[in-house]
Amino acid sequence: MSSQLNRRTFIGTAASVAGAAAMAPLLSACGGGTQQKTGANTKSGLKAALPAHVPSTAVKPDIPSVSGGGNGAATDPGFLRYPTDQVATVSGVPGKGGSYTAVTPLWGTVPPAGNSFYQAMNKALGVDLTVKPADGNTYNTTRAAARTRTTSTFR
């Protein structure tokens, strides 16, 4: 074997060095290092890994949430009526036309196409949305058939 440097040996050597550098972190995970890091497998590790809960102040609930004692459990806030002061998330109609198809799983009676709810939703969105509810047994078949759609632009 000659020690002459040509393009083939240079590329082979470069690929070997790059492969070894890429594998170094994976190989170090197999070794018995001096310090073992713990993940979120302890209560303190979980507390450090997860962000603190910050309750929403967008609307005031009728029944506030309650934190439960030492186990950290909490209840969700409760609402007895729809808020009178609604938070605006968009201004105007979000869609600019176009046709879309949405397949959703539904375990119940399938509503008829073109019902008043679908018409009101299309008007509010500014698009022509065709909703195709499917039960759990035919969901994959219906979803595959609905992949043909027309694209449009949203704001």
Side-chain angles (χ1 to χ4, degrees), residues 66-121:
V66 178
S67 296
N71 65 0
T75 62
D76 288 331
F79 297 89
L80 301 175
R81 63 190 181 292
Y82 199 77
T84 55
D85 297 327
Q86 298 174 16
V87 178
T89 58
V90 294
S91 61
V93 178
K96 293 183 178 178
S99 296
Y100 298 91
T101 301
V103 179
T104 60
L106 175 68
W107 288 268
T109 305
V110 176
N115 64 55
S116 60
F117 175 76
Y118 289 165
Q119 292 173 1
M121 187 173 60

Side-chain angles (χ1 to χ4, degrees), residues 31-70:
T34 58
Q35 180 183 8
Q36 297 229 345
K37 296 181 181 179
T38 59
N41 57 357
T42 63
K43 189 174 183 178
S44 61
L46 187 61
K47 189 173 182 178
L50 295 175
H53 172 69
V54 179
S56 174
T57 58
V59 292
K60 186 175 187 259
D62 299 315
I63 304 169
S65 62
V66 178
S67 296

Side-chain angles (χ1 to χ4, degrees), residues 19-29:
M23 292 299 289
L26 296 175
L27 294 174
S28 68

Side-chain angles (χ1 to χ4, degrees), residues 100-103 130 132 140-150:
Y100 298 91
T101 301
V103 179
T130 302
K132 294 185 175 184
N140 282 336
T141 307
T142 308
R143 186 176 55 114
R147 289 193 182 241
T148 58
R149 59 187 159 179
T150 306

